[in-house]
Amino acid sequence: MSISIHNLNKFYGEQHVLRDISLSIDSGKVVAFIGPNGAGKSTTMKCVTGYIPFDSGSISVCGIDVRQHPIEAKRLIGYLPEHNPLYLEMYVREYLQYVARLYRLSNVVQRVDEVIEQVGLTPERAKRISQLSKGYRQRVGLAQAIIHDPQVLILDEPTTGLDPNQIVEIRQLIRDMGKSKTVILSTHIMQEVAAICDSVIVINHGQIVANQSESDMLTDNDSHSFLIEVKGGSAEQQRATQALIDAGLDIRSINKKQRDMEEVFHTLTNQEEEPLSQQ
């Protein structure tokens, strides 16, 4: 397993933000991590990366315990936070060389050139970061996240604020990276899940409420929903309706309706939060 989480709990004061979360993610997968605002997505990601401490439970990355061996674990992780933190006064190459040296890479110049080409920054490589569009700044963020060739990539809302063309380009980058790395992608865009992700984890009120492939999730959450198609005019429709009411037979066809991820997300997360238990 690339990532293994067992009984993870996190409190902010008296607020129980993460509630006994347990999950495992295999290597070589692009996994969507979705949920409403405040559900615990970013907090979980920050715990996995070691950015913030957690109160109880355990997290391991490629077999390395995040709490016991934080430096070793962080070497295996590339992280792009939701609000991409960049030194805007630095030049693209200068900034990436700086990050590469922080990771103590031996081939700094060569590696920076490789990453610049990989994420499509070549036309902008000599500019200050402050001169870049948001799309190119996101590319810089991705470049710093993969500069040390990590086995796990954690991307928090990587396409937020991008225009449609930029979104397509960043999604393709993520798909390409997912061929050789484990990628956890937080997003509010359901189309993004269908476009690039192998499986989906849904979190709500600090608890995991679903963890499966998109196709299985759509099927499981659609098991009692059907579209009945009636051919003909209003008279036939009335007869078919009455037949259903009376459990009659005069039905031309029944086809299972395929729901989309937005409907499933709403079903899984549109629940009232249980009262906070006394600790």
Side-chain angles (χ1 to χ4, degrees):
M1 298 291 177
S2 280
I3 296 176
S4 181
I5 301 174
H6 293 287
N7 301 119
L8 180 65
N9 285 275
K10 173 66 180 176
F11 289 84
Y12 288 130
E14 295 184 357
Q15 185 180 6
H16 199 172
V17 181
L18 301 179
R19 306 184 182 195
D20 288 315
I21 287 180
S22 294
L23 59 91
S24 298
I25 299 174
D26 293 328
S27 58
K29 299 288 186 181
V30 179
V31 179
F33 193 38
I34 63 177
N37 288 333
K41 300 186 302 298
S42 293
T43 298
T44 303
M45 289 178 154
K46 290 175 181 177
C47 288
V48 172
T49 61
Y51 187 79
I52 61 174
F54 48 92
D55 293 288
S56 64
S58 65
I59 302 173
S60 64
V61 177
C62 301
I64 305 296
D65 189 283
V66 169
R67 177 173 274 167
Q68 295 180 3
H69 305 286
I71 301 301
E72 291 85 346
K74 287 175 183 176
R75 289 195 181 105
L76 301 172
I77 300 171
Y79 179 40
L80 176 62
E82 179 180 1
H83 303 291
N84 186 7
L86 299 170
Y87 293 115
L88 299 183
E89 72 278 8
M90 297 182 75
Y91 291 90
V92 171
R93 286 177 57 86
E94 177 190 17
Y95 171 70
L96 293 177
Q97 289 175 2
Y98 166 72
V99 175
R101 291 188 179 98
L102 288 178
Y103 282 108
R104 299 182 179 179
L105 301 185
S106 58
N107 54 340
V108 170
V109 174
Q110 177 184 345
R111 182 56 184 158
V112 167
D113 288 342
E114 290 173 352
V115 169
I116 284 175
E117 182 176 358
Q118 183 178 354
V119 302
L121 273 171
T122 301
E124 311 294 315
R125 65 186 182 278
K127 288 185 177 180
R128 288 186 189 272
I129 296 174
S130 61
Q131 297 175 304
L132 301 180
S133 67
K134 184 171 178 61
Y136 275 112
R137 290 187 191 186
Q138 287 295 87
R139 291 171 186 263
V140 175
L142 284 171
Q144 67 79 27
I146 66 172
I147 192 77
H148 56 301
D149 194 23
Q151 296 183 43
V152 175
L153 269 178
I154 297 180
L155 311 175
D156 197 352
E157 302 284 352
T159 60
T160 297
L162 303 185
D163 67 37
N165 290 333
Q166 293 167 338
I167 288 174
V168 170
E169 293 167 354
I170 295 298
R171 285 178 183 173
Q172 185 60 53
L173 283 174
I174 294 170
R175 275 196 296 267
D176 291 343
M177 286 186 264
K179 295 175 182 177
S180 58
K181 305 180 187 301
T182 300
V183 180
I184 301 178
L185 169 72
S186 170
T187 180
H188 283 105
I189 306 171
M190 296 301 105
Q191 295 90 335
E192 203 150 75
V193 176
I196 62 178
C197 297
D198 301 304
S199 61
V200 185
I201 298 171
V202 183
I203 186 171
N204 193 39
H205 301 312
Q207 296 178 303
I208 302 299
V209 296
N211 183 1
Q212 54 195 148
S213 70
E214 183 203 6
S215 58
D216 288 344
M217 186 176 295
L218 291 171
T219 300
D220 290 349
N221 283 271
D222 199 30
S223 57
H224 302 294
S225 177
F226 297 90
L227 173 65
I228 299 176
E229 180 181 349
V230 179
K231 293 185 177 181
S234 59
E236 286 81 6
Q237 293 176 18
Q238 291 174 6
R239 284 199 296 270
T241 301
Q242 188 61 50
L244 285 172
I245 295 173
D246 298 336
L249 298 175
D250 194 16
I251 301 173
R252 295 292 298 272
S253 65
I254 301 177
N255 300 309
K256 191 172 182 180
K257 179 187 175 185
Q258 182 66 48
R259 301 176 73 189
D260 60 26
M261 279 302 302
E262 289 187 0
E263 292 178 88
V264 172
F265 177 82
H266 181 74
T267 299
L268 290 168
T269 62
N270 191 29
Q271 302 172 6
E272 292 296 326
E273 183 175 7
E274 297 179 359
L276 181 64
S277 59
Q278 296 298 319
Q279 302 296 320

